[in-house]
Amino acid sequence: MAEWCEGKVISVTHWTEALFSLVVQAPVKPFVAGQFAKLALEIDGERVQRAYSYVNAPDDPQAEFYLVNVPDGKLSPSLHRLAPGDSLMVTTEAAGFFVCDEIPDCDTLWMLATGTAIGPYLSILQQGEGLDRFRRIVLVHAARYAADLSYLPLMQALEAKYNGKLQIQTVVSREESEGSLHGRIPALIESGALENATGLSLSAETSHVMLCGNPQMVRDTRDLLKSTRKMLTHLRRKPGHITSELYW
């Protein structure tokens, strides 16, 4: 059974009408970048809980979570209404294996995300440990609209910090946006547009692909990579080229 602690909301950032971030002070135990915690509120006498990835690096004393308000959701509308000083419950121990230590050595590490699933990658990149095993890292964030690229300034700052090792590429599906590719991640891989934009090859010989986000994107991309790039799902007992995490 999960152990819970009380967290206090330090700040709330409303990026759009639906997207928001919570910064929380809570006595959680150390976690590994890429892992998630569960947040909960008492609603109508019931503890309603959902899993959310840490955005912050493990050494940051304040926890940060990136969320989307689903109007008919059981929890997110209540989280969306929180203000600084409000309380919520947080699991003290993080969980999940979508972490750098689980990724095998490769030349190019591709981090592909949709929506709020950019969170675990930001945690991994802000921490920066264990990334010297990869010559290049490509961080791809796909969203419906350019306004949904909430953490683009942080992504750009990380790109500068890594001084050529990290390359970011944004993708927008429902409008044309300068600097972003237009469409969906699977189609951009199939057409070669993603590789053309980054100047890097996405192949079984050189790459490992991390997939996190919309389950349809994860499934479609995984199937495409298996069928056209001869990539395999990565397992501890059988190393491969694709590591994935569904985000709801």
Side-chain angles (χ1 to χ4, degrees):
M1 182 176 294
E3 179 182 336
W4 294 84
C5 63
E6 182 180 7
K8 290 287 186 181
V9 177
I10 303 300
S11 66
V12 183
T13 301
H14 292 281
W15 304 103
T16 66
E17 289 186 1
L19 294 168
F20 66 106
S21 296
L22 296 175
V23 175
V24 177
Q25 188 76 52
V28 296
K29 295 179 181 179
F31 69 93
V32 178
Q35 288 189 310
F36 62 86
K38 289 184 178 180
L39 305 182
L41 292 170
E42 294 289 333
I43 300 175
D44 297 328
E46 175 190 1
R47 178 178 289 174
V48 182
Q49 62 188 43
R50 293 289 185 273
Y52 297 100
S53 293
Y54 284 99
V55 174
N56 57 292
D59 59 359
D60 191 324
Q62 295 180 337
E64 183 171 356
F65 303 96
Y66 184 36
L67 306 88
V68 60
N69 180 26
V70 180
D72 58 351
K74 290 186 175 181
L75 180 60
S76 61
S78 296
L79 293 173
H80 191 244
R81 291 191 291 269
L82 292 176
D86 289 342
S87 297
L88 74 167
M89 301 301 292
V90 186
T91 47
T92 58
E93 291 191 18
F97 298 97
F98 199 71
V99 299
C100 190
D101 286 349
E102 296 290 331
I103 306 301
D105 294 355
C106 65
D107 185 76
T108 304
L109 177 61
W110 295 78
M111 298 177 162
L112 311 184
T114 58
T116 55
I118 193 68
Y121 298 131
L122 296 177
S123 181
I124 291 169
L125 290 168
Q126 287 185 95
Q127 182 189 39
E129 293 182 5
L131 300 179
D132 55 344
R133 298 183 292 119
F134 315 111
R135 187 177 69 86
R136 298 294 300 272
I137 301 171
V138 183
L139 176 62
V140 178
H141 188 200
R144 293 177 300 173
Y145 301 100
D148 298 335
L149 300 169
S150 310
Y151 284 90
L152 182 56
L154 174 57
M155 293 167 62
Q156 292 170 332
L158 287 167
E159 186 177 41
K161 172 186 173 183
Y162 279 91
N163 193 29
K165 184 184 185 74
L166 172 66
Q167 185 172 348
I168 64 171
Q169 179 61 58
T170 54
V171 176
V172 176
S173 62
R174 298 193 181 179
E175 64 180 3
E176 297 285 348
S177 177
E178 185 178 357
S180 296
L181 293 174
H182 178 67
R184 296 181 63 246
I185 287 175
L188 294 169
I189 293 174
E190 187 171 25
S191 69
L194 181 59
E195 289 166 286
N196 289 338
T198 60
L200 295 168
S201 172
L202 203 170
S203 68
E205 292 74 28
T206 63
S207 306
H208 192 92
V209 181
M210 299 178 75
L211 299 170
C212 189
N214 182 314
Q216 192 64 55
M217 181 281 288
V218 172
R219 285 191 292 267
D220 290 349
T221 305
R222 188 170 53 207
D223 291 347
L224 176 69
L225 293 174
K226 288 181 177 180
S227 63
T228 66
R229 307 300 173 100
K230 308 306 178 186
M231 290 183 160
L232 304 173
T233 297
H234 178 65
L235 303 171
R236 282 182 174 177
R237 64 181 182 275
K238 188 177 180 181
H241 319 93
I242 307 167
T243 299
S244 59
E245 182 162 275
L246 304 181
Y247 220 61
W248 64 73

